[in-house]
Amino acid sequence: MPEHTDPTEAPESAAPGYNGRSAVDSSRTSYGDVGFSRYLRRAFLASAGYDDESLERPIVGIAVTSSDYNTCHRDMPALLAAVRRGVEQAGGLPMDFPTISLGEILTSPTTMLFRNLMAMDTEEMIRALPMDAAVLLGGCDKTVPAQLMAAASSDIPVMLEVVGPMMTGSWRGERLGACTDCRRFWGKHRGGELDGAEITSVRNELVTTAGTCTVMGTASTMASITETLGMMLPGGATPPAVSGARLRHATETGRRAVELARTGGPLPREVMTRAAFDNAIRVLAAIGGSTNVLIHLIAVARRAGIELTLSDFDTIGADTPLLVDCKPSGTGYMEDFHRSGGVPALLKELAPLLDLDHVGVGGRPLRELVAETSDREEWQATIRPLDEPLGAPGALAVLKGSLAPNGAVIKVSAASPHLMKHTGPAIVVDNPADATRILDDPELDVTPDHVLVLRYSGPIAAGMPEAGALPIPAKLAERGIRDMVRVSDARMSGTSYGTVVLHCDPEAAAGGPLSIVRDGDMISLDVEARSLELLVEPDEIARRLESFIPPVRATRGWQKLYQDTVLPASEGADLSFL
Ligand code: FES
């Protein structure tokens, strides 16, 4: 029998974790006196079949992000069922609730504009609804960062579970998958190598199953980072969406969530420590992960009370080589990474560089997990040994200079070696929507030495779309040119590649130096020296900046709140009051 047979009389308790009293009874929802409020809640729950015995159990809230607009999450109902099964097996009560779902492909103008909104939604629902622990189901690019941000602001145990990567397809015998190959084949089409019928037939093989993009794009990177941070049970980043391994991991997560609900910890801030972030930065370098993750990790750390800066990525990543052979930095796909052992096998290789005392939601130190992981064998070729890396340290580099006084980012591992030191004249595009018109103009005076500049695409101006990898001008693409130096205050997809300098801070809309670049100005990139310079006299730069006119801003709604309070990219682009 329940300890409190009359739930309306249940005592208040400040003890952490489930202590025999239903979270339903400690809810702060009030309809007058405390007893009546509890009575009313149980009356409505009874209408949904929840009897007093059900409500004795620890409640695990499960955030669901299914949406017809988010095809990556289309198998989430099965994932949810698996988590619920685990919760019930462990004696808990699963209660799922919806939050915003951000599907990368159909959300305008960019999912990044809504990452913070999703983080707020998730955080507030965790706080508002009665639950003793939460499992957050995500996957597509911005969903996991938003959920980690929400978790960092939460005061109950939280675990993440992702939908997992999709499987690869095949076209004319060539293996391919979203979305590095989407861009590669589109580049061939623009260059005249593939006709309309061929590119249409490629299209049907790029995204073959449910799940997140199958290369080391932002979704796969964030999944790997979440596992490294310890916010997901070991082995959760890489099982394919359609696999039984994915469902089994979800069930294990459900069971573990009940244990966390009973003990009341560890809390997300106790998991996401400085050591966890340092380990995550090393993994980011070793997987050649997405540049977007710099922004996301800084935002999550800020909420967890950890001061993380762009320089940390440069210094910590500087002695961490590229080990994982996945596109866009390598040749393989997430299913290869998974078959090679996934994140646990990678952490074993990286062990000499990691803080092995870190403890995640699984409750055991990384040292034990590494010790239990089998030694790498030759066939696990997607993960290279530390002494025979795939690429040199420094997969991601942070640049500074007169064009980005507060920093900019380049993914060296996916760039062209011959462009790592380059000086050329600028061609300026003010708006991503104008890019194709300007760059495909047959009259455009452009050579492979030009530097393509995209501006007014930072957080304030446009929510920071993934527009930084500007297309190679058509007349050069037709000549077989596949890469040029590109510079912007935008982001680029984690699946993109090329010599693309991103996140220039301050952004043009905030009066940053990008705003005063003119066609023909010389720009110098030197990755080894970590510099990005506008080769215009300082007096002339100052004179041009004096006449800067800020662009018009939104006057209502989310976009106004966002534009008025968003932090710069180098500070995580969260809202300043969060
Ligand atoms: Fe969802 Fe790539 S579009 S992960």
Side-chain angles (χ1 to χ4, degrees):
M1 287 291 290
E3 204 172 282
H4 47 278
T5 50
D6 180 357
T8 65
E9 298 302 321
E12 298 292 341
S13 169
Y18 176 76
N19 48 27
R21 191 188 62 167
S22 173
V24 166
D25 294 327
S26 54
S27 164
R28 289 167 298 150
T29 324
S30 176
Y31 299 99
D33 68 76
V34 173
F36 176 68
S37 298
R38 289 173 178 162
Y39 163 81
L40 202 60
R41 280 181 223 125
R42 285 187 177 244
F44 275 81
L45 284 164
S47 80
Y50 297 104
D51 58 14
D52 285 347
E53 188 171 326
S54 303
L55 297 177
E56 277 175 54
R57 296 160 181 254
I59 297 177
V60 175
I62 307 170
V64 181
T65 53
S66 295
S67 165
D68 283 346
Y69 292 98
N70 189 345
T71 55
C72 301
H73 291 194
R74 78 169 157 87
D75 274 357
M76 193 166 282
L79 194 70
L80 171 62
V83 175
R84 291 183 69 100
R85 183 162 57 238
V87 171
E88 285 167 354
Q89 285 171 359
L93 176 64
M95 294 191 78
D96 58 78
F97 61 98
T99 71
I100 297 171
S101 181
L102 298 176
E104 200 62 25
I105 303 303
L106 297 173
T107 309
S108 296
T110 166
T111 49
M112 187 63 180
L113 179 64
F114 304 107
R115 182 201 65 177
N116 300 340
L117 186 61
M118 181 175 173
M120 287 176 76
D121 176 7
T122 309
E123 173 191 342
E124 296 302 338
M125 286 302 99
I126 291 172
R127 188 168 293 129
L129 301 173
M131 61 186 79
D132 299 293
V135 176
L136 312 179
L137 305 185
C140 197
D141 290 15
K142 304 306 175 299
T143 59
V144 172
Q147 292 175 332
L148 284 175
M149 291 163 73
S153 300
S154 300
D155 296 320
I156 61 168
V158 178
M159 302 173 73
L160 271 73
E161 179 70 28
V162 293
V163 294
M166 62 182 74
M167 305 297 285
T168 52
S170 170
W171 188 74
R172 292 185 179 170
E174 184 180 354
R175 197 171 167 224
L176 73 175
C179 227
T180 303
D181 297 322
C182 312
R183 299 168 205 287
R184 187 165 60 85
F185 277 88
W186 188 251
K188 287 185 178 189
H189 175 56
R190 278 176 59 81
E193 285 182 54
L194 297 180
D195 64 22
E198 288 172 317
I199 196 68
T200 300
S201 115
V202 168
R203 188 186 71 191
N204 292 336
E205 285 300 320
L206 287 168
V207 190
T208 53
T209 69
T212 48
C213 289
T214 186
V215 298
M216 192 57 79
T218 302
S220 299
T221 306
M222 281 308 306
S224 303
I225 291 296
T226 302
E227 185 175 336
T228 307
L229 284 172
M231 288 299 293
M232 176 193 289
L233 289 180
T238 59
V242 295
S243 67
R246 168 59 56 200
L247 299 177
R248 293 194 299 276
H249 189 273
T251 300
E252 189 186 353
T253 296
R255 283 194 294 260
R256 178 63 182 158
V258 177
E259 292 174 5
L260 297 189
R262 290 189 198 281
T263 56
L267 299 174
R269 284 181 204 213
E270 294 166 339
V271 172
M272 290 191 277
T273 59
R274 178 75 221 195
F277 283 100
D278 288 354
N279 286 350
I281 292 172
R282 290 208 184 275
V283 164
L284 178 64
I287 61 180
S290 165
T291 47
N292 291 321
V293 174
L294 278 76
I295 303 175
H296 299 323
L297 263 188
I298 289 174
V300 176
R302 185 174 168 274
R303 288 189 176 219
I306 308 280
E307 192 184 339
L308 205 63
T309 65
L310 278 181
S311 320
D312 290 326
F313 290 86
D314 216 38
T315 48
I316 298 171
D319 59 354
T320 310
L322 178 67
L323 297 187
V324 174
D325 184 10
C326 277
K327 294 184 177 190
S329 299
T331 58
Y333 298 88
M334 285 302 286
E335 60 201 68
D336 307 319
F337 184 29
H338 177 63
R339 289 188 187 114
S340 282
V343 172
L346 174 64
L347 293 176
K348 186 163 183 99
E349 282 307 313
L350 280 175
L353 301 175
L354 300 176
D355 185 327
L356 299 176
D357 292 326
H358 176 250
V359 178
V361 290
R364 298 172 62 210
L366 184 53
R367 184 181 312 283
E368 287 182 17
L369 301 173
V370 162
E372 284 173 6
T373 305
S374 312
D375 287 337
R376 179 186 171 281
E377 295 185 42
E378 206 55 42
W379 60 266
Q380 294 174 293
T382 303
I383 303 172
R384 303 295 166 85
L386 199 53
D387 55 2
E388 285 176 53
L390 181 69
L396 296 167
V398 176
L399 312 170
K400 286 199 175 172
S402 56
L403 206 43
N406 296 338
V409 175
I410 183 170
K411 187 172 189 172
V412 179
S413 58
S416 299
H418 73 279
L419 292 172
M420 291 295 91
K421 185 168 183 175
H422 178 84
T423 299
I427 291 178
V428 180
V429 176
D430 274 339
N431 184 328
D434 295 337
T436 312
R437 178 180 57 77
I438 293 171
L439 299 177
D440 286 358
D441 182 347
E443 302 300 314
L444 183 70
D445 182 12
V446 61
T447 71
D449 287 338
H450 273 89
V451 174
L452 307 181
V453 174
L454 173 67
R455 62 189 177 192
Y456 297 108
S457 298
I460 295 172
M464 220 177 174
E466 293 187 338
L470 283 169
I472 301 300
K475 63 165 65 168
L476 297 182
E478 286 161 11
R479 280 172 41 196
I481 304 298
R482 294 287 178 262
D483 196 12
M484 294 170 69
V485 174
R486 287 155 276 180
V487 176
S488 78
D489 49 10
R491 299 176 300 116
M492 77 172 180
S493 165
T495 63
S496 292
Y497 52 90
T499 310
V500 187
V501 178
L502 302 151
H503 314 176
C504 283
D505 188 0
E507 66 172 292
L514 267 186
S515 66
I516 52 99
V517 180
R518 294 177 182 169
D519 285 342
D521 284 348
M522 298 301 284
I523 290 175
S524 171
L525 167 69
D526 186 341
V527 174
E528 193 179 345
R530 300 291 193 262
S531 75
L532 178 68
E533 302 289 348
L534 177 63
L535 301 181
V536 171
E537 290 301 319
D539 287 355
E540 172 64 8
I541 290 179
R543 194 180 62 73
R544 291 189 199 174
L545 283 172
E546 277 172 17
S547 51
F548 168 72
I549 300 173
V552 175
R553 293 192 181 192
T555 55
R556 65 175 299 279
W558 169 250
Q559 196 157 4
K560 173 172 170 48
L561 178 64
Y562 186 89
Q563 288 184 321
D564 288 349
T565 60
V566 69
L567 293 168
S570 63
E571 296 176 39
D574 199 357
L575 304 189
S576 57
F577 57 87
L578 294 171

